[in-house]
Amino acid sequence: MHRRIFLQNSLLTLGALTLGKEQIVKVMINEPWKITMLTDNIGIFTERGGTIAFHFSKEGITVIDAQFPDTAQHLIDELKKKNEQPFHLLINTHHHGDHTAGNIAFKDLLNRVLAHENSLANQKRVAIANKSEDKQLYPNQTFGGTWKEDIGKEKIAINYFGAAHTNGDVIIHFNHANIAHVGDLVFNRRHPFVDRSAGANIQSWIKVLDSAIKKYDDKTLFVCGHSGSGYDVTGKKDMLLSFHDYLNNVLKFTNDEMKAGKTKEEILKATEIPGSPEWKGDGIERPLTAAFEELSNAG
Ligand SMILES: [Zn+2]
Ligand SMILES: [Zn+2]
């Protein structure tokens, strides 16, 4: 509380000194979300949950992922101020609630929600188990492998490379802008969720990242779902390579520990993945548990 007031005061002081009137008003409102334009017509929205990307065109606004109902509404209100076109298409990178719970906010705004067929199956399975089907807006268009469509002057190409963070993660590439939303296939310097209940597999995830690293070029700008404190949700190919190495290090560390006779509980006491010290903060038990289970099953 005190820290928040202090931050606001120092921002206001700074604002009064260096910003125009309109900008000072924005600082005072203290918006909880952030919109960053990556090009003239493609931007990202961050608030709570997985990073949202959006694309403006004459055919309408395309949105990738939807966070939660309340944050999706913030996005909708902001995009309506920025662009007069109607909403055209919503794409989900995968089924997790921090990417699809906000779909429902688009219920009366668009007719098309698109996702990989496994993402839809996972979303339904989880919603039925949680008795939350009335809170879902399910994809009404699905695909298995690839999907392509021209939207305005952009070509959007979606690729599915196999099981990874779930069994339904896709990469959505804006060909012309050369921007790719990779969803939760990359956690930039943050320990990932590995959703084995939805078909996740770390060994396959590493192969998926290999495919992505081959498929896109050195100029591609990647947008990922989550990042650690102080790190961006956008980056070039090195962001993918670093996370690829991290997953390899998780498997290697777990494998070495198992070979040394360590129990699962002992392995979970680790506070750092050797070789990937940049992955800090909580959640290290998530990838280690998944790696342990995966390697136990394989053995
Ligand atoms: Zn997520
Ligand atoms: Zn996820």
Side-chain angles (χ1 to χ4, degrees), residues 170-205:
V170 294
I171 298 182
I172 297 130
H173 186 229
F174 295 98
N175 288 180
H176 183 67
N178 200 5
I179 292 172
H181 196 321
V182 300
D184 284 0
L185 288 173
V186 173
F187 281 67
N188 189 21
R189 275 75 176 182
R190 182 169 165 186
H191 295 297
F193 284 90
V194 185
D195 189 353
R196 286 171 52 79
S197 72
N201 184 288
I202 298 176
Q203 291 162 88
S204 176
W205 194 341

Side-chain angles (χ1 to χ4, degrees), residues 145-165:
T146 58
W147 181 94
K148 272 183 189 152
E149 194 170 299
D150 290 358
I151 297 180
K153 289 177 186 162
E154 254 307 342
K155 280 182 194 299
I156 299 183
I158 310 182
N159 276 277
Y160 176 70
F161 295 107
H165 162 75

Side-chain angles (χ1 to χ4, degrees), residues 90-275:
L90 172 62
I91 307 170
N92 291 140
T93 59
H94 67 296
H95 77 288
H96 282 151
D98 60 316
H99 301 254
T100 63
N103 283 9
I104 195 86
F106 292 90
K107 195 170 188 250
D108 300 321
L109 299 175
L110 45 72
N111 302 317
R112 299 169 69 206
V113 184
L114 177 72
H116 189 272
E117 59 196 16
N118 293 350
S119 177
L120 172 60
N122 287 328
Q123 191 182 346
K124 277 192 174 162
R125 176 178 49 78
V126 173
I128 291 167
N130 293 338
K131 298 191 168 57
S132 64
E133 278 207 284
D134 58 331
K135 297 189 177 72
Q136 309 298 316
L137 179 65
Y138 289 127
N140 56 3
Q141 295 187 351
T142 59
F143 56 93
T146 58
W147 181 94
K148 272 183 189 152
E149 194 170 299
D150 290 358
I151 297 180
K153 289 177 186 162
E154 254 307 342
K155 280 182 194 299
I156 299 183
I158 310 182
N159 276 277
Y160 176 70
F161 295 107
H165 162 75
T166 68
N167 62 5
D169 309 275
V170 294
I171 298 182
I172 297 130
H173 186 229
F174 295 98
N175 288 180
H176 183 67
N178 200 5
I179 292 172
H181 196 321
V182 300
D184 284 0
L185 288 173
V186 173
F187 281 67
N188 189 21
R189 275 75 176 182
R190 182 169 165 186
H191 295 297
F193 284 90
V194 185
D195 189 353
R196 286 171 52 79
S197 72
N201 184 288
I202 298 176
Q203 291 162 88
S204 176
W205 194 341
I206 291 167
K207 288 182 194 151
V208 165
L209 289 171
D210 279 330
S211 303
I213 287 161
K214 255 183 231 153
K215 169 105 185 150
Y216 305 104
D217 63 39
D218 290 341
K219 288 187 177 150
T220 309
L221 182 68
F222 296 94
V223 176
C224 72
H226 306 277
S227 64
S229 175
Y231 288 95
D232 285 337
V233 289
T234 58
K236 294 290 179 67
K237 207 177 254 189
D238 60 325
M239 183 172 77
L240 272 64
L241 284 163
S242 299
F243 188 64
H244 174 274
D245 290 350
Y246 162 90
L247 288 179
N248 262 323
N249 289 333
V250 166
L251 277 185
K252 184 181 182 310
F253 170 70
T254 310
N255 195 40
D256 289 350
E257 293 286 89
M258 287 167 78
K259 277 193 177 152
K262 298 269 183 73
T263 64
K264 185 176 168 185
E265 285 65 34
E266 286 169 330
I267 296 172
L268 292 187
K269 280 182 190 152
T271 54
E272 187 178 302
I273 305 294

Side-chain angles (χ1 to χ4, degrees), residues 15-27:
L17 291 172
T18 61
L19 304 176
K21 226 178 198 173
E22 192 187 330
Q23 284 163 305
I24 291 173
V25 170
K26 272 194 176 161
V27 171

Side-chain angles (χ1 to χ4, degrees), residues 68-82:
F68 299 98
D70 60 330
T71 64
Q73 194 56 52
H74 295 156
L75 168 82
I76 290 165
D77 293 345
E78 286 305 304
L79 295 191
K80 276 184 177 170
K81 282 185 222 164
K82 281 180 176 285

